[in-house]
Coordinates of all heavy atoms in Angstrom, one line a residue:
Q282 N -13.1 -1.6 -1.7 CA -12.7 -0.4 -2.5 C -13.7 -0.2 -3.7 O -13.3 -0.1 -4.8 CB -11.3 -0.5 -3.0 CG -10.3 -0.4 -1.8 CD -8.8 -0.6 -2.4 OE1 -8.0 -1.3 -1.6 NE2 -8.5 0.0 -3.5
T283 N -15.0 -0.3 -3.3 CA -16.0 -0.1 -4.4 C -17.0 1.0 -3.9 O -17.2 1.2 -2.7 CB -16.8 -1.4 -4.6 OG1 -17.4 -1.9 -3.4 CG2 -16.0 -2.5 -5.2
I284 N -17.6 1.6 -4.9 CA -18.7 2.6 -4.7 C -19.8 2.1 -5.6 O -19.6 1.8 -6.8 CB -18.3 4.1 -4.9 CG1 -19.5 4.9 -4.7 CG2 -17.7 4.3 -6.3 CD1 -19.2 6.4 -4.8
T285 N -21.0 2.1 -5.0 CA -22.2 1.6 -5.8 C -23.3 2.6 -5.8 O -23.7 3.1 -4.7 CB -22.7 0.3 -5.1 OG1 -21.7 -0.7 -5.2 CG2 -23.9 -0.2 -6.0
N286 N -23.8 2.9 -6.9 CA -24.9 3.8 -7.1 C -26.2 2.9 -6.9 O -26.5 2.1 -7.8 CB -25.0 4.4 -8.5 CG -26.2 5.2 -8.7 OD1 -27.3 5.2 -8.1 ND2 -26.1 6.1 -9.8
K287 N -26.9 3.0 -5.7 CA -27.9 2.0 -5.4 C -29.2 2.3 -6.3 O -30.0 1.4 -6.4 CB -28.2 2.0 -3.9 CG -27.0 1.6 -3.1 CD -27.4 1.4 -1.6 CE -28.0 0.0 -1.5 NZ -28.2 -0.3 -0.1
A288 N -29.2 3.4 -6.9 CA -30.3 3.7 -7.8 C -30.2 2.9 -9.1 O -31.3 2.5 -9.6 CB -30.5 5.2 -8.1
T289 N -29.1 2.6 -9.6 CA -28.8 1.9 -10.8 C -28.2 0.6 -10.7 O -28.2 -0.3 -11.6 CB -27.9 2.8 -11.8 OG1 -26.6 2.9 -11.2 CG2 -28.5 4.1 -12.0
G290 N -27.6 0.4 -9.5 CA -26.9 -0.9 -9.2 C -25.5 -0.9 -9.8 O -24.8 -1.9 -9.6
K291 N -25.1 0.1 -10.4 CA -23.7 0.1 -11.0 C -22.6 0.5 -9.9 O -22.9 1.3 -9.1 CB -23.7 1.2 -12.1 CG -24.5 0.8 -13.4 CD -24.2 1.7 -14.5 CE -25.0 1.3 -15.7 NZ -24.9 2.2 -16.8
S292 N -21.5 -0.1 -10.1 CA -20.4 0.0 -9.1 C -19.1 0.3 -9.9 O -18.9 -0.1 -11.1 CB -20.1 -1.3 -8.4 OG -21.3 -1.6 -7.5
E293 N -18.2 1.0 -9.2 CA -16.8 1.2 -9.7 C -15.9 0.9 -8.5 O -16.2 1.0 -7.4 CB -16.6 2.6 -10.2 CG -17.1 2.8 -11.6 CD -16.5 4.1 -12.3 OE1 -15.8 4.9 -11.6 OE2 -16.8 4.3 -13.4
H294 N -14.7 0.5 -8.9 CA -13.6 0.3 -8.0 C -12.8 1.5 -7.9 O -12.6 2.3 -8.9 CB -12.7 -0.9 -8.6 CG -11.6 -1.2 -7.7 ND1 -10.3 -0.7 -7.7 CD2 -11.5 -2.1 -6.6 CE1 -9.5 -1.2 -6.8 NE2 -10.2 -2.1 -6.1
F295 N -12.4 1.8 -6.7 CA -11.5 3.1 -6.5 C -10.2 2.6 -5.8 O -10.1 1.6 -5.2 CB -12.2 4.1 -5.7 CG -12.6 3.7 -4.3 CD1 -11.7 3.9 -3.2 CD2 -13.9 3.2 -4.0 CE1 -12.1 3.6 -1.9 CE2 -14.2 2.9 -2.7 CZ -13.4 3.0 -1.7
E296 N -9.2 3.5 -6.1 CA -7.8 3.2 -5.6 C -7.6 4.0 -4.2 O -8.2 5.1 -4.0 CB -6.8 3.7 -6.5 CG -6.8 2.9 -7.8 CD -6.5 1.4 -7.7 OE1 -5.8 1.0 -6.7 OE2 -7.1 0.6 -8.4
I297 N -6.8 3.4 -3.3 CA -6.4 4.1 -2.1 C -5.1 3.5 -1.7 O -4.9 2.3 -1.8 CB -7.6 3.9 -1.0 CG1 -7.1 4.7 0.3 CG2 -7.9 2.4 -0.7 CD1 -8.2 4.8 1.4
N298 N -4.3 4.4 -1.1 CA -3.0 3.9 -0.5 C -3.2 2.9 0.6 O -4.1 3.1 1.4 CB -2.3 5.2 0.1 CG -1.1 4.9 0.8 OD1 -1.2 4.5 2.0 ND2 0.1 5.1 0.2
A299 N -2.5 1.8 0.6 CA -2.7 0.8 1.5 C -2.6 1.1 3.0 O -3.3 0.7 3.9 CB -1.8 -0.5 1.2
Y300 N -1.6 2.0 3.2 CA -1.4 2.5 4.6 C -2.6 3.3 5.0 O -3.1 3.2 6.1 CB -0.1 3.3 4.6 CG 0.0 4.2 5.9 CD1 0.2 3.5 7.1 CD2 0.0 5.6 5.8 CE1 0.4 4.3 8.3 CE2 0.1 6.3 6.9 CZ 0.3 5.7 8.2 OH 0.3 6.5 9.3
K301 N -3.0 4.3 4.2 CA -4.2 5.1 4.6 C -5.5 4.2 4.8 O -6.3 4.5 5.6 CB -4.4 6.2 3.5 CG -3.4 7.3 3.6 CD -3.4 8.0 4.9 CE -2.4 9.1 5.0 NZ -2.3 9.6 6.4
K302 N -5.6 3.2 3.9 CA -6.7 2.3 4.1 C -6.7 1.6 5.5 O -7.8 1.6 6.1 CB -6.7 1.3 2.9 CG -7.9 0.3 3.0 CD -7.8 -0.7 1.8 CE -8.9 -1.8 2.0 NZ -8.9 -2.7 0.8
H303 N -5.6 1.1 5.8 CA -5.4 0.6 7.1 C -5.7 1.5 8.3 O -6.5 1.1 9.2 CB -3.9 0.0 7.3 CG -3.6 -0.5 8.7 ND1 -4.0 -1.8 9.1 CD2 -3.1 0.2 9.8 CE1 -3.6 -1.9 10.4 NE2 -3.0 -0.8 10.8
C304 N -5.3 2.7 8.1 CA -5.5 3.7 9.2 C -7.0 4.1 9.3 O -7.6 4.2 10.4 CB -4.7 5.0 8.9 SG -3.0 4.8 9.2
L305 N -7.7 4.3 8.1 CA -9.1 4.5 8.1 C -9.9 3.4 8.8 O -10.8 3.6 9.5 CB -9.6 4.9 6.7 CG -9.3 6.2 6.1 CD1 -9.7 6.2 4.6 CD2 -9.9 7.3 6.9
M306 N -9.6 2.2 8.3 CA -10.4 1.0 8.8 C -10.2 0.8 10.3 O -11.0 0.1 10.9 CB -10.0 -0.2 7.9 CG -10.5 -0.1 6.5 SD -10.3 -1.7 5.6 CE -11.3 -2.8 6.6
N307 N -9.1 1.2 10.8 CA -8.7 1.0 12.2 C -8.9 2.3 13.1 O -8.6 2.2 14.3 CB -7.4 0.4 12.4 CG -7.4 -1.1 11.8 OD1 -7.8 -2.0 12.5 ND2 -6.8 -1.2 10.6
G308 N -9.3 3.4 12.4 CA -9.5 4.6 13.2 C -8.2 5.2 13.7 O -8.1 5.7 14.9
L309 N -7.1 5.1 13.0 CA -5.9 5.5 13.4 C -5.3 6.7 12.7 O -5.4 6.7 11.4 CB -4.8 4.4 13.2 CG -5.1 3.1 13.9 CD1 -4.1 2.0 13.3 CD2 -5.1 3.1 15.4
D310 N -4.8 7.7 13.4 CA -4.1 8.8 12.7 C -2.6 8.4 12.7 O -2.3 7.2 13.1 CB -4.3 10.2 13.3 CG -3.8 10.3 14.7 OD1 -2.9 9.5 15.1 OD2 -4.3 11.2 15.4
D311 N -1.7 9.2 12.1 CA -0.3 8.8 12.0 C 0.4 8.5 13.4 O 1.1 7.6 13.5 CB 0.5 9.9 11.2 CG 0.1 10.0 9.8 OD1 -0.4 9.0 9.2 OD2 0.3 11.0 9.2
I312 N 0.0 9.3 14.3 CA 0.6 9.1 15.7 C 0.0 7.8 16.3 O 0.8 7.0 16.8 CB 0.3 10.3 16.6 CG1 0.7 11.6 16.0 CG2 0.8 10.1 18.0 CD1 2.3 11.6 15.8
D313 N -1.3 7.6 16.2 CA -1.9 6.3 16.7 C -1.2 5.1 16.1 O -0.9 4.1 16.8 CB -3.4 6.3 16.3 CG -4.2 7.3 17.0 OD1 -3.9 7.7 18.2 OD2 -5.2 7.8 16.4
F314 N -0.9 5.2 14.7 CA -0.3 4.1 14.1 C 1.2 3.8 14.7 O 1.5 2.7 14.9 CB -0.1 4.4 12.6 CG 0.6 3.3 11.8 CD1 -0.1 2.2 11.4 CD2 1.9 3.4 11.5 CE1 0.4 1.2 10.7 CE2 2.5 2.4 10.8 CZ 1.8 1.2 10.4
L315 N 1.9 4.9 14.9 CA 3.2 4.7 15.5 C 3.1 4.1 17.0 O 3.8 3.2 17.3 CB 3.9 6.1 15.6 CG 4.4 6.6 14.3 CD1 5.0 8.0 14.5 CD2 5.4 5.7 13.6
V316 N 2.2 4.6 17.8 CA 1.9 4.1 19.1 C 1.6 2.6 19.0 O 2.1 1.7 19.8 CB 0.9 4.9 19.8 CG1 0.5 4.1 21.1 CG2 1.4 6.3 20.1
E317 N 0.7 2.2 18.1 CA 0.3 0.8 17.9 C 1.5 -0.1 17.5 O 1.4 -1.2 17.9 CB -0.8 0.8 16.8 CG -1.5 -0.6 16.5 CD -2.3 -0.6 15.3 OE1 -1.8 -0.4 14.2 OE2 -3.5 -0.9 15.5
N318 N 2.5 0.5 16.9 CA 3.6 -0.3 16.5 C 4.9 0.0 17.4 O 6.0 -0.3 16.9 CB 3.9 -0.1 15.0 CG 2.9 -0.7 14.1 OD1 2.9 -1.9 13.8 ND2 1.9 0.1 13.7
K319 N 4.6 0.6 18.5 CA 5.8 0.9 19.4 C 6.7 -0.3 19.7 O 7.9 -0.2 19.6 CB 5.2 1.5 20.7 CG 6.2 2.0 21.7 CD 5.5 2.7 22.8 CE 6.6 3.1 23.8 NZ 6.6 2.4 25.1
D320 N 6.1 -1.4 20.0 CA 6.9 -2.6 20.3 C 7.8 -3.0 19.1 O 9.0 -3.3 19.3 CB 6.1 -3.8 20.7 CG 5.4 -3.5 22.0 OD1 5.7 -2.6 22.8 OD2 4.4 -4.3 22.4
K321 N 7.3 -3.0 17.9 CA 8.0 -3.3 16.7 C 9.1 -2.3 16.5 O 10.3 -2.7 16.1 CB 7.1 -3.3 15.5 CG 6.1 -4.5 15.5 CD 5.2 -4.4 14.3 CE 4.0 -5.4 14.4 NZ 3.1 -5.2 13.3
I322 N 8.9 -1.0 16.7 CA 9.9 0.0 16.5 C 11.0 -0.2 17.5 O 12.2 -0.1 17.1 CB 9.2 1.4 16.6 CG1 8.2 1.6 15.5 CG2 10.3 2.5 16.7 CD1 7.3 2.8 15.7
E323 N 10.6 -0.4 18.8 CA 11.7 -0.6 19.8 C 12.5 -1.9 19.5 O 13.7 -1.8 19.7 CB 11.0 -0.6 21.2 CG 10.5 0.7 21.6 CD 9.7 0.6 22.9 OE1 9.4 -0.5 23.4 OE2 9.5 1.6 23.5
A324 N 11.8 -2.9 19.1 CA 12.6 -4.2 18.7 C 13.6 -3.9 17.6 O 14.7 -4.4 17.6 CB 11.6 -5.3 18.4
W325 N 13.2 -3.2 16.6 CA 14.0 -2.8 15.5 C 15.3 -2.0 15.9 O 16.4 -2.3 15.5 CB 13.3 -2.0 14.4 CG 14.0 -1.9 13.2 CD1 14.1 -2.6 12.1 CD2 14.9 -0.7 12.9 NE1 14.9 -2.1 11.1 CE2 15.5 -1.0 11.5 CE3 15.3 0.4 13.6 CZ2 16.3 -0.1 10.9 CZ3 16.3 1.3 13.0 CH2 16.7 1.0 11.6
E326 N 15.0 -1.0 16.8 CA 16.1 -0.2 17.3 C 17.1 -1.1 18.1 O 18.3 -0.9 18.0 CB 15.5 0.9 18.2 CG 14.8 2.0 17.4 CD 14.2 3.1 18.3 OE1 14.0 2.8 19.5 OE2 13.9 4.1 17.8
V327 N 16.6 -2.0 18.9 CA 17.4 -2.8 19.7 C 18.3 -3.7 18.7 O 19.5 -3.9 18.9 CB 16.7 -3.8 20.7 CG1 17.6 -4.9 21.2 CG2 16.1 -2.9 21.8
A328 N 17.7 -4.3 17.7 CA 18.4 -5.1 16.7 C 19.4 -4.4 16.0 O 20.4 -5.0 15.5 CB 17.3 -5.8 15.9
H329 N 19.2 -3.1 15.8 CA 20.1 -2.3 14.8 C 21.0 -1.4 15.6 O 21.6 -0.5 15.0 CB 19.3 -1.6 13.8 CG 18.6 -2.5 12.8 ND1 17.4 -3.2 13.1 CD2 19.0 -3.0 11.6 CE1 17.1 -3.9 12.1 NE2 18.0 -3.8 11.2

């Protein structure tokens, strides 16, 4: 979560929602994320 100006070497930290960070780093949209977690969702439904 950093951006660096390579001309000056200066960097800053930036904020991002943890869920959106996970999706960007794994190439997932919201539907992909649900499909990826289908087993967990189904297990929760069975348990509840």
Side-chain angles (χ1 to χ4, degrees):
Q282 293 176 222
T283 59
I284 178 170
T285 303
N286 177 343
K287 297 192 80 173
T289 63
K291 289 188 181 175
S292 295
E293 275 199 356
H294 183 268
F295 62 87
E296 297 298 326
I297 182 172
N298 172 282
Y300 165 68
K301 286 300 180 186
K302 179 178 179 178
H303 172 83
C304 287
L305 284 174
M306 290 185 63
N307 291 281
L309 305 171
D310 63 21
D311 291 339
I312 302 299
D313 295 327
F314 179 81
L315 289 174
V316 171
E317 186 184 60
N318 288 278
K319 183 171 178 252
D320 292 347
K321 293 177 187 174
I322 294 167
E323 289 175 347
W325 188 92
E326 287 177 339
V327 168
H329 293 82

